[in-house]
Structure formats: structure tokens, C-alpha cells
Amino acid sequence: MKGNIIKYAQDNIDTDVIIPGEYLKIHDYAELATHAMEGLDPDFHSKVKEGDFILSGKNFGCGSSREHAPIALSHSGINAVLALSFARIFYRNSVDGAFLLPIEIDEDTYDGISEGDEIDIDISTNEIKNITKNQTYKMKPFSDIIEKIISAGGIFKYNPDQN
Amino acid sequence: MGKTLFEKLWASHIVVEKQDAPSLIYVDRHLVHEVTSPQAFDGLRINNRKVRRPDLTIATMDHNVPTNDRSLPILDQTSAIQIQTLEKNCKDFGIKLFDINSPNQGIVHVIGPQLGITLPGSTIVCGDSHTSTHGAFGALAFGIGTSDVEHVLASQTLWLEKPKSFEIRVEGKRKNPHAVTAKDIVLSIIKNIGTGGGTGTVIEYCGEGITDLSMEQRMTICNMSIEAGARAGLVAPDEKTFDYLRGREYTPKNYESLVDSWRDELKTDGDAKFEKQFILHIDDIVPQVSWGTNPGMTCDVTELVPSPDEFSKGDLNQKKGAQKALDYMDLKPGTPIVDIQIDRVFIGSCTNARLEDLIEASKVIRGQKVSSTVKAMVVPGSQMVKKQAEDIGLDKIFIDANFEWREAGCSMCLGMNPDILSPGERCASTSNRNFEGRQGTGGRTHLVSPVMAAAAAIKGHFVDVREWDLN
């Protein structure tokens, strides 16, 4: 999974800035995506490209349970968010709805990757390659359960007797 | 070894449990509102599924309903569509709905307990993070996203990984319980453990500082558990809990026999072990005011706005976050909190819009007028709260003081209905989140208790409400 990094070097990016409350009335996901990150970065929609990744600090996605948050990012083209830690409802929504991969990283990885870097994430080996800087980091592996739900394609497709 | 209350609630709701896999947990009550449910109902239709237990599912509309005259049409078309969609979904799937004209309409976390729908020992979910509120009754209650809403509608169950248990013991007694409130206790907790301090846990609040509180005050505490990152907050039920629920509209017929079993079972065993613990001493705590853009950025009303260095204690991201927050809030380090002038006051939300909140706030403003520089509003948490308040004349006290007296809804807590801040406006708010833009793009939120908000409305700036006679 290759893409470029959009870095928000801060902690506590909350779901109200990922998708402000006034847009929760929007039913169409493509339209919702045009407002992604608007509360923090009004330029996000114009700069994000299909396959990009977001990199951020601790407690990403804190606040509301709105699934609109991972949906808006996913429909903007974001395939994964790399963060030092995640708020649990955001993490769960991302995985259960199969919208994007929430990837936990360590401080060295966070410091090592810069805005615009091209990286390649391999979740089978838990490796993150920084193609731009020719560096390699380790992501925190998904738990067995999360890995199974991801490979099933979301909570509805997950069956503990089969997966 | 003994079990914690959380472990007992968890164990009694397991449908399927396997080694190294999530457990399938049974859901006793599913609360539904207009914003996080439309796609879930769409999903049921696409897959030709029914609602498994419509009798255990209750809906209301709260997030985007206007709070002005209910006889007027809803001008915002997308809000009107979302409200009509909930009406249609409830009709099609046989779900009880308290609609905009129902006397039982209100914020979902206010009406659940008021109607006797929230019960000790139960599991409660809702597509809203402040579902943690219901934990005040000894229920395991937590917010879920829309995919999970669909899963619960279809199956009345949810796959869950077991959270860790976290004991927060609140010791001591508040010196002035009218001025130092449950809101100040929970803001103090979040200030200390941080907005990620409870991540992955279910918090049980215990100790004298909690058992002393009324049910409505306990709800304020549990409500904000999510602001510390916790899945849920819990208080073990006691006689106050059982008295509160007795005789309400949906309280079960066999209530007294249920109470007998709850009294024995719903408590943490003496030898149980928590995976995490925090103790807060409240003898000397004072009213709290948030100065930044998350609920952990809070200080005493007697303090000065901190500098990023003071706040961050060496953590670079914390320092940057504090600087960004100060810029957004347009505050300078070293400014006394009591010198901060405000433009708006909002008394409302699932955190602080219950009858007791309004009674306490009314004591502050009785016979006084809102400052000419401030626009203030009271939005009761439910139409029942509104009626109870009007029955004892609170509406008149607020209106005489130049507060607006509104219909029930989430209102200015979250900026998705007509009640919003204008860019740059500064609000003393009894709600739960001071995130950037939460109350409207560019709006600045200071989280406070209802009495602190009311006093700020009168003076036009924050004041230490301990100096006021509130008896």
C-alpha cells in the first residue's frame, strides 16, 4: 500500500475538526468527503490524493462517535491513518466499517516521516518503508482480532467460526 | 478473586465467548437518534433484514432539532429530511419514537433515565459517545458508530473486545457543594488524567465524593467519561439510584424484585482488582474553567491562563497544542480567568440540562439581569425537564433575567442546528466539548458548571461563584 503523507504534527485531533457537526446531515459520502478535515485544514480537500495517508500524534479521533469521521477521510482517498495512539471509537469505526486502517506507530517513526514523504505500508510484515528517505520502520502489529476483522472486510463480514 | 462491577456486567451479557476473539455481547437497550442512524436503516433494507428487537429499541430526535417555537416549520432542509427519515424508519421497522411534538422528546441521554428506560445492570448502546451518561445507574453504556448501530439493529448484539477496568476514587467532601459541582469534579479528573487517560477502559467512579452526589450529578460525571477517552463510566447503584427510577413511565412492573437482586449483585467485590487507579481529593477543589480546545485544558477559576511551557511540562506536542489552543481562543498566558469577557452563555446539553442544573443556575440569577454585553440561553435537556421547571416557575426567573427559554434539544452543544456561535464569539457553556468549531465555526468555548455559566452571564466575565450566596 503506497501513498504520500499528509502530516498533522499535533495530538488530540478530534472528530469535530475531522468532520464538523454541521455536515453530519449530509447523506452522500462523496459530498461529505469535500468537508473532511475542514475544521483543522480547509485546504485538505484540494490537496488530498487517492491513496494518501495521514500522520498524526496521540489520541487521534477523540470525541464524538460519528462514523462520518472515518467515512469522510476514506472517501477523500485516505487508506490509512498513522498515529501515536487512537481514540477507541474512531479506531473501532474505522475497522468495523472497513473504511481505513488505523495504524499505531512509535515516536521514532512519527519523527522520521515528514509531510509529503512517499511510504509503503506492508501489514503482513508490519513494515513501513519510507521511499523518499530510504528508511524502514515497524508499525505496531494489529491484534489477532483486529487483523481478522480487517481481513474479513468489516464487522458484518466477520464470522468467528470461519475467519 | 472478586470481580469488579464492570466484570459482572460484562460476564452477565456474554452470548459467545472464545479464546483470543472478541465476545458477542447482548444489548438490553438500544437508543436511536436522527443523525447516526439513517445509513444503518439503509443497510438493513439493502440486506433485507428486520430490526431484531424493536421492543428494546427507542428513538428520539435531538441533535438537529431547532429549539425555538415548535409550531414553526424546520427551515434547514437537510435537517428536516433527517428528521423525516427517522420518522419513516421508525414507522417501517416498528420502533417507538418520541418525535418533535412528543412530551417525552429530548436529548436521548436525558430522556432514558427520566422515562425509566435506563436500568441498573443492563447494557445500553447508542450512536452517540455520551451514552456513557447512563452508567450513572450501574449500566454498561457506551457510544457506537453507525456500522455498529446497524449490527445492533439486526442482531441485538455487538462484537466487543473486553475493555480494562479503571477505578477513579473521589475522596473527601466539597466545602461549598452549591458552587463546586459535579462538573468541577469531572473536569478536575480530566485535567489530571488527560483526554487519553481513560482510553480502552471502563471507569468505575467510587468513594464518598461520588456516593454523596445525586443521580443527576452522577450523570454529569459519567457523561464526560468519554472526554477522558474511556468507553464507559459507571457508578454502583444504591438507594438513590433505586429511588430515582421508582414509578417512572417505563419502569418495569416487577421493579421491586429487580431492586432486591441489584442490591446484592451490582457492586464491586471487596477483593476485586482494577487494572488502573486514580484518586482525586475534593476537599479543596474549586470551580473549573476550560481555557483551551480540549477538556483537559482546564484550570481553577482562581488561576491564570497557563503558558504553553507550564501546561506541557516538557512534551513538545503538548506545547504546540497549547500554543495552537491559545491562538484559537485568543488568550494570552498570564491572563486571570476572571478577566475573560464572554459574549454568549449556553446552559444546556446532555451534561448539564437536567432539573437540578436549572434549579442551581436559577439561584444565581434570581432578581438579577444578564449583562448587556451577553446573550444567554437555557435549553432544557428534555420537554419533561422543561415542564417540571415551568411548574416551579424557573422559566419566569430565567426570562426575567433576560435569558432565552428554549425547547429541548442538543442545541448549541454541537453546532448542527440553528443554535451556533458566530466566528470569534466566546461562550461560557455547560456542555462537554470545547473543540475548535464545536459550537460553530470560529466559536470559542469555555466549559463550566451551570452556576458558573449563570454567574458569568450576569457579570459578563467569569467569576468565582463561591463568593456568591447560593443557599
Side-chain angles (χ1 to χ4, degrees), chain A residues 9-12 14-17 20-29 39-40 56-59 62-68 71 84 86-89 91-93 96-99 110 143-146 148-149 155-156 158-161, chain B residues 16 18 20-22 35-36 38-39 42 49 64 76 78-79 82 126-129 143-148 150-151 154 158-161 195-196 199-200 226-227 229 231 293-294 315 317-318 320 324 414-417 433 435-436 438 441:
Chain A
Q10 63 180 88
D11 296 338
N12 295 312
D14 60 76
T15 52
D16 276 84
V17 300
E22 61 188 298
Y23 304 122
L24 302 183
K25 293 174 264 189
I26 297 171
H27 205 73
D28 179 68
Y29 290 166
L40 179 71
S56 190
K58 290 180 195 147
N59 205 24
C62 60
S64 151
S65 66
R66 58 189 70 167
E67 200 159 289
H68 308 68
I71 291 171
L84 291 170
F86 289 90
R88 299 314 292 181
I89 305 183
Y91 190 95
R92 185 177 169 89
N93 284 343
D96 283 5
F99 298 116
Y110 174 77
S143 70
D144 288 352
I145 298 150
I146 297 295
K148 283 174 188 163
I149 297 173
I155 194 77
F156 261 92
Y158 169 73
N159 178 337
D161 297 327
Chain B
V16 176
K18 286 188 176 185
D20 298 326
V35 175
T36 53
Q39 285 91 350
D42 286 352
R49 293 186 174 116
N64 64 24
D76 181 311
T78 51
S79 289
Q82 218 166 40
C126 174
D128 189 282
S129 61
I144 54 177
T146 301
S147 295
D148 288 351
E150 185 180 341
H151 196 278
L158 206 53
W159 291 108
L160 285 175
E161 281 184 86
T195 50
T199 301
I226 181 69
E227 309 317 332
R231 273 256 53 152
T293 52
N294 71 54
D315 182 308
N317 262 6
Q318 288 270 29
K320 279 161 67 181
K324 192 168 178 295
L414 86 166
M416 68 170 302
N417 54 67
R433 291 193 174 129
F435 298 154
E436 287 186 27
R438 171 79 178 181
T441 308

Side-chain angles (χ1 to χ4, degrees), chain B residues 310-329:
Chain B
E310 284 170 89
F311 176 73
S312 64
K313 299 183 181 86
D315 182 308
L316 188 62
N317 262 6
Q318 288 270 29
K319 185 175 168 181
K320 279 161 67 181
Q323 186 56 57
K324 192 168 178 295
L326 290 173
D327 292 345
Y328 181 84
M329 294 296 288

Side-chain angles (χ1 to χ4, degrees), chain A residues 81-137:
Chain A
V81 176
L82 290 70
L84 291 170
S85 65
F86 289 90
R88 299 314 292 181
I89 305 183
F90 179 89
Y91 190 95
R92 185 177 169 89
N93 284 343
S94 300
V95 171
D96 283 5
F99 298 116
L100 55 84
L101 295 179
I103 294 176
E104 287 187 333
I105 51 166
D106 60 21
E107 297 272 356
D108 289 342
T109 309
Y110 174 77
D111 291 337
I113 305 176
S114 309
E115 170 80 18
D117 284 0
E118 186 185 17
I119 63 163
D120 188 358
I121 303 170
D122 184 346
I123 61 168
S124 66
T125 60
N126 297 313
E127 268 188 0
I128 302 171
K129 279 192 188 129
N130 190 331
I131 297 164
T132 308
K133 290 184 177 155
N134 196 23
Q135 293 173 340
T136 302
Y137 327 96

Side-chain angles (χ1 to χ4, degrees), chain B residues 298-463:
Chain B
T298 292
C299 65
D300 295 352
V301 66
T302 51
E303 289 184 300
L304 314 177
V305 174
S307 70
D309 280 322
E310 284 170 89
F311 176 73
S312 64
K313 299 183 181 86
D315 182 308
L316 188 62
N317 262 6
Q318 288 270 29
K319 185 175 168 181
K320 279 161 67 181
Q323 186 56 57
K324 192 168 178 295
L326 290 173
D327 292 345
Y328 181 84
M329 294 296 288
D330 193 26
L331 290 174
K332 290 197 171 48
T335 308
I337 293 291
V338 292
D339 285 357
I340 298 172
Q341 305 282 324
I342 53 156
D343 309 302
R344 304 285 293 267
V345 168
F346 171 58
I347 298 179
S349 88
C350 57
T351 312
N352 276 131
R354 297 181 178 82
L355 188 61
E356 267 181 60
D357 296 318
L358 306 191
I359 290 172
E360 291 297 305
S362 76
K363 290 179 189 166
V364 175
I365 61 155
R366 190 187 298 270
Q368 307 206 61
K369 295 282 183 203
V370 170
S371 163
S372 60
T373 58
V374 173
K375 198 172 161 219
M377 66 197 291
V378 181
V379 185
S382 70
Q383 292 302 79
M384 278 177 284
V385 169
K386 179 169 185 266
K387 181 169 185 312
Q388 289 167 337
E390 288 171 352
D391 287 347
I392 57 172
L394 297 188
D395 55 330
K396 191 164 182 322
I397 296 171
F398 282 109
I399 292 165
D400 285 350
N402 293 334
F403 272 83
E404 289 182 44
W405 179 252
R406 296 296 192 97
E407 306 292 326
C410 297
S411 184
M412 210 199 274
C413 176
L414 86 166
M416 68 170 302
N417 54 67
D419 305 337
I420 55 170
L421 296 179
S422 300
E425 275 190 323
R426 187 181 296 284
C427 182
S429 178
T430 66
S431 54
N432 40 56
R433 291 193 174 129
N434 49 344
F435 298 154
E436 287 186 27
R438 171 79 178 181
Q439 295 190 290
T441 308
R444 298 178 176 127
T445 305
H446 293 273
L447 303 176
V448 286
S449 71
V451 287
M452 282 290 288
I458 302 301
K459 291 293 180 187
H461 56 85
F462 291 112
V463 290

Side-chain angles (χ1 to χ4, degrees), chain B residues 215-283:
Chain B
M215 287 315 297
E216 299 198 347
Q217 294 164 340
R218 293 178 194 180
M219 284 188 250
T220 300
I221 303 262
C222 288
N223 172 275
M224 290 191 72
S225 303
I226 181 69
E227 309 317 332
R231 273 256 53 152
L234 280 174
V235 176
D238 58 12
E239 295 310 313
K240 284 181 191 173
T241 320
F242 306 140
D243 288 346
Y244 180 97
L245 292 169
R246 197 166 275 124
R248 295 189 179 260
E249 194 173 339
Y250 290 86
T251 303
K253 290 203 171 55
N254 61 338
Y255 185 66
E256 296 309 325
S257 66
L258 289 172
V259 167
D260 288 340
S261 63
W262 291 335
R263 211 177 261 132
D264 293 337
E265 292 162 13
L266 296 181
K267 55 190 165 204
T268 290
D269 298 329
D271 58 343
K273 289 246 183 320
F274 288 89
E275 285 149 297
K276 202 171 173 184
Q277 198 194 39
F278 172 75
I279 299 173
L280 180 77
H281 295 278
I282 58 168
D283 294 311

